[in-house]
Amino acid sequence: MSAGRVLLWRHGRTAHNASARLQGQVDIPLDDVGRWQARTAAARMIARHEPTRIVTSDLSRAHDTAAFLARAAGLELVVDPRLRERGFGIWEGLTGDEIVASWPEEFAVWRAGGEPAGVGAETRAEVADRVAVAVAEHAAALGASDTLVVVSHGSAISSTVGRLLGLGDRLHAFAGMLNAHWTELVATKVDGEPAWRLTGYNLGPTDASTDWNAGPDRRESDADAETRDPD
């Protein structure tokens, strides 16, 4: 058994997203724009799909995003801490400029797709492994006509998509997702074995991030732009 469709949904905007601060596993709530994004995206998602189960990270920005969809679908939320964002160690809460100022070499490694040493960050492989296991377990409890919605975080989702598609170590292949947008995977088989096929990435009510992130957003620097939507 396996769910026929999995939607991996990123939470709505937070104040840290708006100010380009790396969140990681610190528990930052949705801001006003983020709540609007979550409500708007939930309405669009429920118009396209009929969720069977909604599973969310325990961090409030994901949980509160998921709650909008759960109310619309008439479902209870399932909370799974394995769906948390990638841990970024001592970088959490910092802007790109602040990271570059103290760790220029490590930041360059990270943005090139490598793993920065000495900052306590979880590797892409580690986060992909724990989230992919959780997704597989929840999907396995459902049937081919069911839709599983997994509410998680930007970096966690982009790495996990690579893992679920069997890309090996190429977990930096997908760009960061917009807030309250989702990725769609459908169940298939490859050489007779269960597998996933990507049918959409960064799906949502709009593809225009400037309009979607309505509010006082200003990208002060290239470094901060990189931490706004980490992949």
Side-chain angles (χ1 to χ4, degrees):
M1 291 176 58
S2 177
R5 175 180 289 104
V6 174
L7 305 178
L8 298 158
W9 189 23
R10 188 189 179 198
H11 60 80
R13 197 183 83 164
T14 70
H16 269 31
N17 291 144
S19 59
R21 293 189 178 275
L22 200 56
Q23 288 180 116
Q25 297 187 358
V26 291
D27 198 3
I28 307 299
L30 297 175
D31 63 11
D32 288 343
V33 170
R35 286 186 287 274
W36 168 79
Q37 289 175 336
R39 182 174 62 251
T40 303
R44 179 59 61 90
M45 186 181 287
I46 203 73
R48 296 180 183 177
H49 303 287
E50 185 176 348
T52 307
R53 176 176 297 178
I54 305 170
V55 186
T56 179
S57 158
D58 61 338
L59 296 178
S60 64
R61 58 190 184 271
H63 188 281
D64 292 350
T65 297
F68 285 98
L69 183 64
R71 285 193 292 270
L75 296 173
E76 295 291 329
L77 288 178
V78 177
V79 178
D80 191 332
R82 293 175 296 178
L83 302 177
R84 281 188 173 197
E85 177 61 298
R86 179 184 179 186
F88 287 103
I90 58 178
W91 284 358
E92 293 185 359
L94 301 180
T95 66
D97 282 346
E98 289 168 343
I99 296 172
V100 167
S102 297
W103 298 274
E105 294 180 3
E106 291 84 354
F107 186 83
V109 168
W110 176 47
R111 296 314 307 169
E115 304 295 350
V119 300
E122 191 175 15
T123 67
R124 287 185 179 86
E126 287 168 343
V127 68
D129 287 344
R130 65 171 165 81
V131 178
V133 167
V135 171
E137 287 182 9
H138 291 290
L142 302 176
S145 63
D146 293 326
T147 295
L148 171 66
V149 180
V150 176
V151 189
S152 187
H153 307 263
S155 185
I157 290 173
S158 60
S159 295
T160 300
V161 170
R163 176 67 80 241
L164 292 173
L165 294 178
L167 298 184
D169 294 332
R170 293 177 293 162
L171 301 178
H172 193 54
F174 293 93
M177 294 175 61
L178 300 177
N179 286 113
H181 280 54
W182 64 87
T183 287
E184 181 177 352
L185 301 171
V186 295
T188 186
K189 292 196 175 203
V190 175
D191 296 329
E193 295 296 323
W196 295 102
R197 176 177 295 169
L198 180 69
T199 56
Y201 188 83
N202 237 343
L203 304 173
T206 178
D207 292 325
S209 61
T210 299
D211 294 336
W212 185 238
N213 288 320
D217 285 3
R218 290 185 175 85
R219 300 197 176 209
E220 300 294 348
S221 70
D222 289 342
D224 279 352
E226 298 288 6
T227 59
R228 189 179 304 277
D229 298 301
D231 53 2

